[in-house]
Amino acid sequence: MELRVLEYFMAVTREQSILGAAESLHLTQPTLSRQLKDMEDEPGKQLFIRSNRKITLTDEGMILRKRAQEILELVRMTKDEISLSEEAVAGDIHIGAGETEGIRFLAKAAKALQTDYPKVHFHIMSGDKVTVTEQLDRGLLDFGLLFGDIDKSKYNSMKIPSRDKFGVLMRYDDPLAEKDILTLDDIIDKPLIVSRQSAHDNELANIFKCEPERLNIAATYSLIFNGSIMAEEGIGYVIGFDGIINTTGNSLLRFIPLKDQSEVKLQIVWKKYQIFTKAAEKFPEYLRKVCQSEV
């Protein structure tokens, strides 16, 4: 399957019509229709559901759309890296990160790097550990900011001296909001809203020093902002880090820390034997200086 045809496919999914896609690609409609038919004939699968109003994707078409996005993005990144390989330090750095105050270390390093090399640009993708590691493995990210343990056979890493600790977000008019610190007994029977990562890893057991089965998990989130909305609506109590959701002023929420917990390990990781652009190669050096100055 040619890259050119993948670009045609993506144009059709974007415009949701062959006519609109043909116009955006500066092709005739019969030419584009023939290319799409050949594309479906190659794997022997229907990719589109055609109607008078618009074109939608079949299940197989949605799978191809996801892969085509990744392939075309990798091609674009590769072209950029090759074109910059003989030039000064410049280009894009792609970082995946969860929600944490630790992102400030990356921001400070980015600022210092851009001061020395103004043509370096940063792109941060928000996501949990599962999403970030998948993107790292596919080459769509240069670095990932991750909590917990990592596979040291696959990744290099650098510890980030963050002081993130877990606590509970709840409505300010909740009876528990009068407390200054919470224990497991306070919330063991309460409906909890937890991150998707902690629901699948061993984080809940580490946080509460108990089996996850004892906890009442009412909902999960990937971004804590969404969890905070659920808390405001009374669905439950959000387990997350302090400093991410603003609980000052007219906020409906209050954050209360959990008792007797250790700080969570946060680290920046990248694939072993990764071939970086000159810009990405510089980033760990600047980040290390920032981390050392904060210790």
Side-chain angles (χ1 to χ4, degrees), residues 170-179 237 256:
M170 66 185 71
R171 288 180 58 95
Y172 74 91
D173 55 0
D174 189 281
L176 286 180
E178 298 179 2
K179 296 197 170 201
Y237 300 74
I256 303 179

Side-chain angles (χ1 to χ4, degrees), residues 3 6 10 63-78 131 134-135 137-140:
L3 291 175
L6 288 180
M10 292 302 297
I63 292 172
L64 179 59
R65 179 177 62 182
K66 179 182 178 183
R67 299 305 182 198
Q69 286 174 328
E70 294 176 353
I71 291 168
L72 293 173
E73 177 63 12
L74 276 174
V75 170
R76 184 196 66 78
M77 291 170 62
T78 302
T131 302
E134 284 180 353
Q135 299 292 303
D137 291 343
R138 291 172 181 166
L140 298 172

